[in-house]
């Protein structure tokens, strides 16, 4: 490098500091963006979990209803069969 193409030490240090500051700013922005993405995903997963929870509760209620229906049907059939035996 010739003398007329050289950069003074002060200019080099000033540009180096500016470059370092730009990298720090970029790093902060990247970190903020990552935090936003993680937060958005967490909220989305929370909603999905709540929906699944509601679905499980609904399915449990349906199972209870089916069991009640089967139980009452079984009792009715048992009662009818016992009446048939006593009549016949």
């Amino acid at each position: 490098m010739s003398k007329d193409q050289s950069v003074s030490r002060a200019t080099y240090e000033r540009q180096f500091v500016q470059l370092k500051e730009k990298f720090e700013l970029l790093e902060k922005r990247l970190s903020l963006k990552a935090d936003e993405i993680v937060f958005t995903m967490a909220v989305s997963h929370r909603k999905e979990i709540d929906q699944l929870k509601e679905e499980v509760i609904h399915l449990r209620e349906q199972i209870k209803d089916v069991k009640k229906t089967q139980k009452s049907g079984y009792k009715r059939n048992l009662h009818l069969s016992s009446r048939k035996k006593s009549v016949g």
Side-chain angles (χ1 to χ4, degrees):
M1 192 178 240
S2 66
K3 242 185 176 194
D4 35 316
Q5 291 181 342
S6 64
V7 178
S8 71
R9 182 176 179 100
T11 302
Y12 171 80
E13 287 179 1
R14 186 178 69 251
Q15 289 179 349
F16 181 76
V17 168
Q18 288 174 347
L19 184 61
K20 185 178 174 185
E21 288 171 352
K22 284 182 182 180
F23 271 111
E24 288 172 354
L25 179 62
L26 183 61
E27 188 176 45
K28 286 179 186 178
R29 289 175 56 200
L30 184 61
S31 178
L32 180 62
K33 190 65 172 177
D35 290 346
E36 289 173 358
I37 290 170
V38 169
F39 177 77
T40 302
M41 289 176 66
V43 169
S44 175
H45 288 158
R46 183 72 235 175
K47 286 179 183 177
E48 187 177 353
I49 288 169
D50 289 343
Q51 289 173 345
L52 291 171
K53 181 181 173 185
E54 290 297 320
E55 189 175 337
V56 167
I57 290 170
H58 179 71
L59 290 172
R60 282 181 177 172
E61 291 172 0
Q62 286 182 327
I63 289 170
K64 285 180 186 178
D65 291 342
V66 168
K67 285 182 177 180
K68 284 180 185 177
T69 304
Q70 287 178 342
K71 191 174 184 179
S72 66
Y74 175 74
K75 285 183 179 179
R76 188 179 319 115
N77 288 340
L78 185 62
H79 178 69
L80 289 175
S81 67
S82 66
R83 285 182 67 196
K84 287 179 185 177
K85 288 180 183 177
S86 65
V87 173

